Amino acid sequence: MTSILPIRPETGASQRAAARAAEYGLVQLGGRPPLGRYIKDLWARRHFALEFAKSRFRAANEANRLGMAWVVLNPLIQAAVYGLIFGVILPSSTKPHNYTAFLVCGVFTIGLFSGCFTDGAKSLVTNRGLVRTLHFPRAVLPIATLLNKLMELVATTVVLCVIVMLTGEMPQLDWLLLIPAYFFLALFSGGVAFIAARLTVHLRDISQLIPFINRLIFYLSGVFYVVGNRFADKGILGKVIEANPLNVYLSLVRYAMLEGIRGTGPNQINIDATTWIMAAGYGVVMFVAGFIFFWQAEGLYGRD
């Protein structure tokens, strides 16, 4: 007999009807299955999630003349604009080693998070027709968003490596640290996508705030500067900003790619076991918490 967790407690006639339905093996369409079965159903739809992500990846820029080139042109233009502005504004003494590569690492890496946050929030709302007409675990949609952004990250990372080499850095084994750094960042970003997707369904106004939240996170996460130096005199506030998950992930990527940034001096980044533990903890906790938070409202999606 198949069991489905009710969305809300049932009483009276509805309770008897539910019991009768269960007796005959009938299940509630769009209900919330137990977590274990939900994960099993989600794994069974993994090919759907991947194809959905691929189709979005291809369709994102197909109307443009330059097509897929915009996947790397967008972050490149962003980095150029920010480099032009902050490269002039910031005094030379406050700029980290190899500032061009430092900036490009920051802009390209944080794009995974900001993309998951923005598009993850819209994943259920923009696919409302799909949610209402087809039966599948709704978590497929935020996961497809994450896969889509990972595809973009792979493309931009190739360009990132080329730019870093053009600025004087040579490939080395430490560059492989990008893999675990991106993996933990992807977990964290996926968890944020789950949470944003559910919240946006309940309260559409949140989508209006996301650009401002994204921008605030962008400026506080050390995309343009070394956070440890900038907020060293701010006491507990400085420690909190330094422990910001996005700052942790940006620091890991820069530490892996830029040899001159490593150290404990001004405008340098020191990475130890604690940093990696924080990166793993942020990623795993956010993904699990976000997934469970999303699953708890599974029966409500598509009923607005």
Side-chain angles (χ1 to χ4, degrees):
M1 180 186 304
T2 305
S3 62
I4 290 289
L5 295 180
I7 299 170
R8 57 178 66 87
E10 297 178 336
T11 57
S14 62
Q15 193 173 35
R16 290 192 295 275
R20 181 63 62 85
E23 182 181 349
Y24 288 97
L26 301 177
V27 297
Q28 178 184 349
L29 185 62
R32 188 189 68 189
L35 184 58
R37 209 187 81 200
Y38 188 72
I39 294 173
K40 186 178 178 182
D41 291 345
L42 191 58
W43 176 250
R45 303 295 198 287
R46 63 189 183 280
H47 301 298
F48 170 52
L50 183 59
E51 288 304 318
F52 194 67
K54 285 180 181 176
S55 66
R56 292 186 58 184
F57 183 67
R58 288 190 296 265
N61 295 295
E62 65 181 5
N64 300 318
R65 285 184 179 274
L66 296 179
M68 299 301 294
W70 282 108
V71 172
V72 293
L73 283 177
N74 271 322
L76 268 179
I77 293 173
Q78 278 190 54
V81 171
Y82 291 131
L84 180 65
I85 296 173
F86 290 94
V88 174
I89 292 177
L90 291 179
S92 299
S93 59
T94 64
K95 292 179 185 174
H97 164 79
N98 194 353
Y99 189 66
T100 300
F102 178 91
L103 186 60
V104 172
C105 284
V107 172
F108 280 29
T109 303
I110 207 167
L112 175 64
F113 168 80
S114 57
C116 285
F117 188 22
T118 304
D119 291 356
K122 297 184 291 186
S123 60
L124 287 171
V125 176
T126 56
N127 294 290
R128 193 183 302 116
L130 202 64
V131 171
R132 284 176 174 170
T133 54
L134 296 178
H135 178 65
F136 63 93
R138 305 321 189 203
V140 162
L141 297 175
I143 288 177
T145 299
L146 174 61
L147 293 175
N148 174 236
K149 296 306 167 187
L150 282 174
M151 292 173 190
E152 293 182 3
L153 182 67
V154 170
T156 55
T157 299
V158 174
V159 178
L160 170 64
C161 292
V162 173
I163 292 175
V164 168
M165 285 190 286
L166 289 176
T167 59
E169 302 285 344
M170 297 305 295
Q172 51 185 297
L173 286 177
D174 286 338
W175 286 22
L176 295 177
L177 292 175
L178 278 181
I179 298 172
Y182 280 165
F183 175 72
F184 294 133
L185 172 60
L187 286 180
F188 182 81
S189 303
V192 170
F194 281 128
I195 293 172
R198 175 177 171 179
L199 291 179
T200 305
V201 168
H202 294 321
L203 190 60
R204 299 290 169 81
D205 303 69
I206 289 176
S207 61
Q208 301 299 322
L209 297 176
I210 286 177
F212 301 104
I213 299 172
N214 239 338
R215 191 58 56 188
L216 180 64
I217 293 173
F218 190 85
Y219 285 111
L220 286 179
S221 300
V223 175
F224 313 111
Y225 53 85
V226 176
V227 171
N229 291 345
R230 185 71 56 175
F231 297 99
D233 59 345
K234 300 299 182 184
I236 294 177
L237 177 62
K239 296 293 182 186
V240 170
I241 295 176
E242 191 170 1
N244 166 9
L246 274 305
N247 175 54
V248 171
Y249 295 124
L250 293 187
S251 298
L252 290 177
V253 170
R254 285 164 171 160
Y255 189 87
M257 299 292 290
L258 310 177
E259 189 173 5
I261 201 78
R262 302 166 193 163
T264 57
N267 290 321
Q268 288 188 308
I269 296 172
N270 183 35
I271 298 295
D272 54 20
T274 303
T275 313
W276 282 105
I277 292 172
M278 290 173 67
Y282 285 143
V284 172
V285 170
M286 180 59 78
F287 189 86
V288 172
F291 180 77
I292 293 176
F293 179 72
F294 183 91
W295 162 76
Q296 288 176 327
E298 175 75 7
L300 302 179
Y301 303 136
R303 297 190 175 188
D304 53 321

